[in-house]
Amino acid sequence: MSEAGQGKKDAGNGGEDPRYKGIDRVLKRLQFKQDGLIEVLTAAQEAFGYLPEEVMIYVARQLKLPFSWVYGVATFYHFFSLKPQGKHNAIVCLGTACYVGRANDIVDAISKEYSVEPGHTTPDGELTLTTTRCLGCCGLAPVVVFENQVLGKETPEGTVGKIRTVLAGGSLGTVAAGQVEEASAT
Amino acid sequence: MRQQELMEMAQNERDRQSKYRCRLLCCASTPCISSGALAVEEALKKAVEAEGLQAEVETVATGCLGPCSRGPLVTVRQQGRSDIIYEGVTPQLASKIIDKHFKGQAAPELEKQAIPEDWPFFAKQTKLVLAESGNVDPEKIDSYLAQNGFTALLHALREMTPEEVCAEMGKSGLRGRGGAGFPTGVKWDMVRKAPGERKYVVANGDEGDPGAYMDRTLMESDPFRVLEGMAIAGYAVGADQGFIYVRGEYPLAAKRLEKAIRQAERKGLLGSRILDSNFNFRIDIRMGAGAFVCGEETALMQSIMGRRGQPVPRPPFPANRGLWGSPTLINNVETFGNITTVISKGATFYASYGTEKSKGAKIFALAGKVNNTGLIEVPIGITLREIVYDIGGGIPGGRPFKAAQTGGPSGGCIPAEYLDVPIDYETLQKLGSIMGSGGLIVMDDQSCMPDVAKFFMEFCMDESCGKCGPCRGGTVQMHRILDKITNGSATMEDLDRLQELCMMVKETSLCGLGQTCPNPIYSTLRYFRDEYEAHIKHHQCPAGVCQFTEKPLKIAVA
Ligand SMILES: Cc1cc2nc3c(=O)[nH]c(=O)nc-3n(C[C@H](O)[C@H](O)[C@H](O)COP(=O)(O)O)c2cc1C
């Protein structure tokens, strides 16, 4: 970016929005090294829930990288999302063991029930349906992650039932006590 | 830290442990945690406190024991007695463990959950890399030191030159566990001899193969072993900086490694002047962000440097020009897990396991349609039958075995007639599969082979990085044809076209992803061609999976 390096902070964003603080902290820790781009983007996504364009522009300026470079990296990795995510996220594992256990039927069932394609969010912003490649819990296949809990040995009806309960304001209860820890690069 | 201090610390921890009459080892790796292991551990601790037994009984969170589908697992280790392992423990059962073992009360519902001592799942395994997994507390360095941790590094630094370490690796016959089976000693020697001021060591923990979680388990269960292996590698090749690239889906592994690195640094087992020598070695973690192709070594290095994880042509090989243009040693995490065994027990001991050309033991993630799923470590050369029927306990419902899939999207299927061949690098290759990183998925007669091929092709299509044309376009076209076969609109010409495409993509792709992605098609065609033909000619799916909703387009020939 041609104006890269001008001014340490972009007053418009960096000054006010507290969410930029998390990004700044990581930037400082990495001493503004360009090699740290993925870590910075991870922090940004944690702060914002996704990667809005302004945030990518901000990161590009701070690291003195072209915007296209940052955009290229952000779109390459599956973890980064350029669109806001739903309030709840149902992640269906499609690893081999889950595939053999017919996880596809679970995806289809959720997809049909909420008219949402994998990778998309319902129009009301309530539910995002995501598929992933192997969470490494193959002994519990098929596996679904919902409300940050790993649910094992799922069935299409069972999963849809749990989603329905949670969307209606209920909780998963103690179906599975396992809490997946937040992915964090720090 | 000096040698004496290391020995003292280990002894102190051993003394501390032996003060307890009993230790309750609670598996706390991802699968057990998702079945509720943390609540069980809590319940155990509470029950111990309630009975005032804190001075006699210690509750420890350990790594993986193996039979993941049976979690949560609790091991009761009493002095002078053999271990008792309980499966499927709930918080209610946890208090029964205290009742039974410390209050002498009968607990029939608990006894049902005890795993028999001679259970073939354990009896048939050889644990070299996973020896301490399920035994040590992965979050406490003392626990690792008590099991002679870091003595291999000490031995290498004091008694061996870097050349000798490389030679020892060569002698052990250890081959890379990342998939290709490249001799580790040769690779280390290449990096050692490569000219360069700075050198790097990288542990590949990207583990993208669906159905494989050996590396995750090792990082979660025995992180210090991986760090020690990397440090020995650093000494052998002359590197002072290491990176562990952890797959983004593995936050727990990253957290434990991070903790392990801090503890090792504080004790002077990583960092500057390690164990009072002139050797400096630092390790940093890099998190992946969800891209299968980043497991490929050149792509992985791009990703460590913060770029798009796209492969670059080799040569130059990483051993000569890797990270930031410097010589770089890349090995799989499990490969690093083998290093301490080779150094401390000796190459000859290590080479006594395995077959002539493939030494040691290999970890497999056994999953799919078998009764006992989980993580196993077996000597290379074991037969598939022993794995599926003895360790795995056969197929649920007594259904027939159809095939085992190894090597993930780069591998293939082994059909029933080869149940008795030894599993090693060469044999699997001859059968059209590969050893791969260790995923082993068992399929029964309800799996449809063209559909399996389609599953893997969809994976490769999604994960192709898009840099080279053959892979980017070829995977899409191959997937389309497989889709046609499974929905009923394919003709026999499509099958020929599919094979042509396989050949083209295999021969012309830039990296291993494209070069190996036709393997699942090749191998299912080789052993199950009749299934493809049944789909195309008769619109029949012998496994009953595919719905034939389409018809072939009739093109009128003028
Ligand atoms: C598409 C692709 C994916 C790969 N994924 C992994 C992986 O997940 N883990 C791994 O250790 N090696 C993986 N490899 C192999 C690495 O490129 C490299 O050969 C390996 O890390 C070398 O380590 P080793 O000598 O210890 O086996 C992959 C290769 C390709 C072509």
Side-chain angles (χ1 to χ4, degrees), chain B residues 174-184 187-188 202-209 212 214-215 245 247 291-300 311 314 318 329-336 409-410 425 436-437 459-460 463 511-516:
Chain B
L174 172 62
R175 297 172 64 169
R177 300 294 194 235
F182 192 81
T184 304
K187 199 189 267 187
W188 286 27
V202 175
N204 185 343
D206 193 48
E207 194 166 58
D209 282 6
M214 303 76 46
D215 297 346
Y245 189 87
R247 193 171 166 232
F292 170 67
V293 73
C294 286
E296 201 278 338
E297 53 192 22
T298 59
L300 184 137
R314 297 177 304 179
L329 172 75
I330 293 199
N331 273 131
N332 171 259
V333 163
E334 188 187 334
T335 312
F336 283 118
S410 316
Y425 291 94
S437 53
F459 180 91
C460 293
E463 297 295 340
C511 84
L513 194 152
Q515 288 158 12
T516 58

Side-chain angles (χ1 to χ4, degrees), chain A residues 71-78, chain B residues 206 290-300 302-303 307-313 457-476 505 508-515 517:
Chain A
Y71 184 81
V73 169
T75 49
F76 184 83
Y77 294 98
H78 297 317
Chain B
D206 193 48
F292 170 67
V293 73
C294 286
E296 201 278 338
E297 53 192 22
T298 59
L300 184 137
Q302 296 293 318
S303 185
R307 307 178 189 164
R308 285 166 72 92
Q310 288 181 317
V312 292
M457 193 47 69
E458 188 184 339
F459 180 91
C460 293
M461 179 176 79
D462 285 350
E463 297 295 340
S464 171
C465 77
K467 180 165 176 171
C468 75
C471 175
R472 181 180 65 225
T475 50
V476 175
V505 173
T508 59
S509 291
L510 168 63
C511 84
L513 194 152
Q515 288 158 12
C517 76

